[in-house]
Amino acid sequence: MYTISQRAKGPQRTGTAVEVRVHRLHPGQRAIADHPARFRVVMCGRRFGKSALGIRLACDAALAGQPVGWFAPSYKLALEAWREVCDRLKDVTQRVSEQDKRLELITGGVVEVWTLDTPDPARGRKYGLVVIDEAGIAPNLTEIWQAAIRPTLVDLGGRALILGTPKGRRHGFVKMFDRGMTDDTDWQSFRASTLDNPYIPAEEVAAAKKELPSEIFRQEFEGIPTDDGANPFGLEAVQAAIGELSIHPPVVFGVDLARSMDYTVVCGMDAWRRVAVLERFQMPWAATKTRIQELVKAIPIVADATGVGDAIVEDLQVMGVSVYPHIFTQRSKLSLMQRLIAGFQGKQVTIPEGWLANELQTFEFHYTPTGVRYEAPRGEHDDGVMALSLALYGWDRVQCVPPDGTLDLAVKGDDPLMAFAGTQPISPIYSFAAPETQLPVSW
């Protein structure tokens, strides 16, 4: 708690004292707050109290008359911190701008809040302290730190507090943490678990440990990044799925249509969920449609109908191709990826060695304020991953049962992983013996 005389700034202030209540730090937070390193990186489990630590140090600096910059991955996350800072410092606030998210105190201190969804936040600013909250899910963290945030600390020799829970080993947050583990005295890294917060019930953490896979528990509750990084399939599972291209005919195709510099990929899957046909190419649309028709013949396909793909799918239907259009939305892509993850983890899918395996191994997921986003790293492709997921989606509806008769997947509703109340598994009407069967209109 601070006691501040309002006489300090401004002729209109009286001589009364104001009390400002700030977070009381627990021992784990105190050790970080008191460390003299200029750049402190805190990799911790959820509910350790990282945001509370950041807010406390931001309030301390502003009350001491320093300018403070607070950075968060999204507006929603930034807004939570902004509201708390405003509430705690309201009695010593001289001017506030909700539009600019700027708070000016009677002490001369300033707090500004920024989001990291633009490449160059806080241009032209100078800070005595920068706090980066939820750094583990901040996109392009390394680039934004180097090009935008680090320069704001030059004028005043400012410090930085970088806080987050890791999301894989390949994220820029992990690189910053690794730097704090070197002999560079300007940098210091701290790892803290959820249980380092004495106010978290130990029995709740123990219950979570029983329910979660061990690597996820270590990442989310102990602040230890997973070995697979941000790969959703599991690198070992992808490696185990590599085999020969199937010699059996495909029963369904998945087709991902090219966007800009991407490839069109045609992936055929046989009755045992093994990739039997795999081609990728970049051609004019007329040639692309002709090549797809030549590859799939009368076999049903699931094709990407997002954006320009809608017109291509219509043309393929006119050409006599048995095609089901699939539009990518956040929800539909999540369902496709969940099914493909289950396919790899359950050892149901076989893929050939080469570029498709490489795409799968570099594919990533990211936590965002609106959910999980699946995508290829910047500069990489995911066309093969999407074509494979569409082929598996089609297999669940065309084949459904491998030729040995083992039913290992009950397809329910539109999403094979979502069980709706009162639904029954769809019967395996479509068989390997009838590859010319058309896809049901109700897909």
Side-chain angles (χ1 to χ4, degrees), residues 232 330 333-334 364-374:
Q330 183 175 2
K333 190 171 183 179
L334 176 63
E364 296 179 341
F365 71 93
H366 304 280
Y367 290 94
T368 73
T370 58
V372 181
R373 185 173 73 245
Y374 295 93

Side-chain angles (χ1 to χ4, degrees), residues 184-196:
D184 189 337
T185 56
D186 276 346
W187 288 75
Q188 181 61 46
S189 292
F190 304 83
R191 176 171 280 127
S193 72
T194 302
L195 285 177
D196 287 326

Side-chain angles (χ1 to χ4, degrees), residues 80-153:
E80 294 175 5
W82 166 253
R83 286 173 174 168
E84 182 168 348
V85 169
C86 287
D87 182 62
R88 291 187 178 276
L89 300 179
K90 61 180 181 293
D91 291 333
V92 290
T93 297
Q94 188 172 52
R95 188 178 296 107
V96 59
S97 170
E98 281 290 341
Q99 181 176 351
D100 295 333
K101 296 295 182 284
R102 177 182 170 91
L103 194 70
E104 299 177 14
L105 307 186
I106 61 175
T107 64
V110 174
V111 179
E112 292 183 310
V113 174
W114 304 87
T115 61
L116 296 173
D117 50 8
T118 58
D120 198 17
R123 173 171 286 276
R125 298 299 201 271
K126 54 185 178 182
Y127 295 122
L129 174 69
V130 155
V131 179
I132 305 177
D133 193 26
E134 297 295 352
I137 61 173
N140 309 317
L141 179 63
T142 301
E143 294 87 342
I144 293 177
W145 165 256
Q146 293 173 345
I149 299 177
R150 179 63 180 87
T152 66
L153 302 173

Side-chain angles (χ1 to χ4, degrees), residues 304-319:
D304 167 22
T306 310
V308 69
D310 184 39
I312 304 304
V313 166
E314 288 183 3
D315 288 347
L316 288 171
Q317 290 172 332
V318 171
M319 294 166 68

Side-chain angles (χ1 to χ4, degrees), residues 13-248:
R13 300 293 183 180
T14 69
T16 58
V18 227
E19 289 184 349
V20 177
R21 293 187 177 274
V22 292
H23 285 284
R24 177 179 295 174
L25 301 181
H26 62 65
Q29 295 170 319
R30 174 57 62 189
I32 299 166
D34 291 345
H35 199 280
R38 185 179 179 190
F39 307 115
R40 290 162 290 178
V41 185
V42 183
M43 185 176 288
C44 54
R46 295 190 182 196
R47 308 306 302 159
F48 165 74
K50 57 184 181 295
S51 297
L53 170 63
I55 289 171
R56 167 61 190 272
L57 296 189
C59 289
D60 288 353
L63 289 168
Q66 295 182 4
V68 178
W70 182 283
F71 297 82
S74 68
Y75 178 78
K76 183 177 180 180
L77 291 171
L79 191 61
E80 294 175 5
W82 166 253
R83 286 173 174 168
E84 182 168 348
V85 169
C86 287
D87 182 62
R88 291 187 178 276
L89 300 179
K90 61 180 181 293
D91 291 333
V92 290
T93 297
Q94 188 172 52
R95 188 178 296 107
V96 59
S97 170
E98 281 290 341
Q99 181 176 351
D100 295 333
K101 296 295 182 284
R102 177 182 170 91
L103 194 70
E104 299 177 14
L105 307 186
I106 61 175
T107 64
V110 174
V111 179
E112 292 183 310
V113 174
W114 304 87
T115 61
L116 296 173
D117 50 8
T118 58
D120 198 17
R123 173 171 286 276
R125 298 299 201 271
K126 54 185 178 182
Y127 295 122
L129 174 69
V130 155
V131 179
I132 305 177
D133 193 26
E134 297 295 352
I137 61 173
N140 309 317
L141 179 63
T142 301
E143 294 87 342
I144 293 177
W145 165 256
Q146 293 173 345
I149 299 177
R150 179 63 180 87
T152 66
L153 302 173
V154 171
D155 293 69
L156 303 177
R159 305 177 74 189
L161 182 67
I162 301 132
L163 308 161
T165 298
K167 301 299 176 194
R169 293 191 180 277
R170 290 180 288 180
H171 195 277
F173 180 44
V174 178
K175 296 177 181 178
M176 298 177 86
F177 181 86
D178 290 343
R179 185 170 181 182
M181 301 297 287
T182 67
D183 294 332
D184 189 337
T185 56
D186 276 346
W187 288 75
Q188 181 61 46
S189 292
F190 304 83
R191 176 171 280 127
S193 72
T194 302
L195 285 177
D196 287 326
N197 182 343
Y199 307 112
I200 297 295
E203 59 271 18
E204 291 297 320
V205 178
K209 188 173 185 179
K210 291 179 181 178
E211 297 173 9
L212 297 173
S214 59
E215 66 275 8
I216 298 300
F217 178 84
R218 288 196 299 269
Q219 178 168 269
E220 299 300 325
F221 287 85
E222 296 178 348
I224 301 172
T226 59
D227 288 335
D228 278 348
N231 186 278
F233 310 114
L235 300 181
E236 291 184 3
V238 173
Q239 189 64 35
I242 295 176
E244 297 295 326
L245 196 69
S246 174
I247 60 172
H248 295 281

